[in-house]
Amino acid sequence: MKKVCVIANAGKKKAEETAERVCSFFCQRGIECSVFFEDFSEQASYHYNEAMTDGAECAVVLGGDGTLIRAAGRLAAQKIPVLGINLGNLGFLTSAECAGAEEALEALVSGGYRVEERMMLEVSVGGKVFDTALNDAVITRSGYSRIISVSVFVNDKPVCTYRGDGVIIATPTGSTGYNLSAGGPVVVPTTELILVTPICPHSLNARGILVSGEDEVRLVVQEEKKTQDEEAYVTVDGQNAKKLAAEDQIVIRRSAEKAYFVQLNERSFFDVLHRKLGRKEYF
């Protein structure tokens, strides 16, 4: 490995200290290292250009899951894998905790890792591409809307209409996020599926569905109140939001791009699942 970049969330405690440790680790081994401090509280600030990361063989991301998702999505076009070191709370997607950063970096430079490809979703609104989701696209009611109705079509075939707080369209990577909290299934992140999960459905028989990564999901926001201009919002990866009016259509399909995650060889998805979200004594 000849070159790496470090992307640190400036809003996290110990970000500067950890970035210095990581950079020093690589420099001592003759590996070129560039460090970028990002203020993720301002959306425009994390659009670093390709010249900053050009030639990097890996990006070490210092922050929580949100930081890692943003970085992985924006580095996908360059096919740069990301290694996450958790400076946040849960850190489900990150590969190591701050205290174990050096061990993770040793594994990285010694080749004790694998790179996982993760599918992403292309989100279009009104016939125009709006954004790309690594985690999920969420359609939720606006602040003044009591309940919204969202009709779901798969490959232009009607499936169902959910009435409630909204609908989550998630990738397998995003299955352990909002989808899990809403009662959706946990999916191994390297699979290629699209999850459709209703949020607080106002029905006794509403259920989520899983479709193939080859399928196209179309959602239509139905009119609930004629006096209401904005019925809902679509939010991608918890970052980029757009207002939706009645009859707006959102089309979601697999993106041509993929994100790349560094996984340490001794860790499996289920190891992380049990440690972060379960209780060890049950297994």
Side-chain angles (χ1 to χ4, degrees):
M1 188 167 292
K2 296 180 179 179
K3 181 179 178 179
V4 299
C5 62
V6 177
I7 300 170
N9 185 337
K12 298 291 185 182
K13 293 180 179 180
K14 297 185 178 180
E16 186 173 350
E17 173 190 336
T18 307
E20 289 178 358
R21 285 173 50 205
V22 171
C23 191
S24 176
F25 175 92
F26 288 119
C27 290
Q28 289 174 11
R29 290 156 178 77
I31 299 172
E32 183 182 349
C33 181
S34 301
V35 182
F36 311 106
F37 288 95
E38 303 292 340
D39 182 0
F40 291 99
S41 64
E42 297 181 10
Q43 189 173 15
S45 69
Y46 55 75
H47 286 281
Y48 38 82
N49 58 53
E50 291 188 4
M52 296 179 180
T53 53
D54 187 45
E57 297 169 66
C58 180
V60 178
V61 181
L62 309 179
D65 286 341
T67 310
L68 187 62
I69 288 169
R70 286 186 284 260
R74 282 159 180 79
L75 294 173
Q78 294 174 272
K79 297 185 177 181
I80 297 175
V82 295
L83 170 70
I85 295 177
N86 184 33
L87 302 183
N89 295 316
L90 181 62
F92 186 86
L93 298 177
T94 55
S95 296
E97 298 299 316
C98 184
E102 187 164 339
E103 290 82 354
L105 299 177
E106 287 284 5
L108 181 67
V109 298
S110 65
Y113 68 94
R114 65 190 184 279
V115 176
E116 289 184 352
E117 295 184 358
R118 305 284 184 89
M119 74 173 288
M120 301 173 70
L121 297 175
E122 178 187 274
V123 182
S124 298
V125 180
K128 296 181 179 180
V129 176
F130 171 58
D131 205 346
T132 303
L134 172 57
N135 228 33
D136 52 36
V138 181
I139 299 170
T140 52
R141 60 190 178 89
S142 65
Y144 297 103
S145 176
R146 295 178 182 272
I147 284 180
I148 58 171
S149 295
V150 181
S151 296
V152 180
F153 301 80
V154 176
N155 301 326
D156 286 329
K157 302 294 184 182
V159 176
C160 62
T161 296
Y162 294 122
R163 296 189 76 246
D165 285 358
V167 182
I168 302 165
I169 310 297
T171 66
T173 298
S175 73
T176 51
Y178 195 1
N179 166 78
L180 178 63
S181 298
V186 173
V187 179
V188 174
T190 51
T191 58
E192 300 215 345
L193 299 169
I194 300 175
L195 296 81
V196 182
T197 303
I199 305 170
C200 299
H202 196 69
S203 171
L204 292 175
N205 58 5
R207 293 290 184 268
I209 59 173
L210 291 173
V211 300
S212 163
E214 301 290 337
D215 292 323
E216 177 184 276
V217 178
R218 178 165 56 91
L219 304 105
V220 182
V221 178
Q222 303 297 331
E223 185 177 68
E224 287 289 324
K225 296 181 180 179
K226 295 182 182 299
T227 58
Q228 186 170 293
D229 293 331
E230 292 88 26
E231 291 286 348
Y233 287 86
V234 58
T235 306
V236 176
D237 284 345
Q239 307 162 40
N240 198 5
K242 184 178 181 65
K243 292 180 180 180
L244 300 172
E247 306 304 324
D248 274 354
Q249 300 196 21
I250 304 93
V251 175
I252 298 176
R253 60 173 66 91
R254 180 171 56 184
S255 170
E257 294 181 348
K258 291 187 176 184
Y260 300 86
F261 282 70
V262 171
Q263 298 293 343
L264 304 183
N265 283 342
E266 72 273 12
R267 286 161 48 104
S268 76
F269 170 70
F270 293 104
D271 289 336
V272 178
L273 187 68
H274 295 167
R275 186 168 64 254
K276 297 287 189 178
L277 300 180
R279 296 183 63 181
K280 288 185 178 180
E281 60 266 31
Y282 290 169
F283 302 98

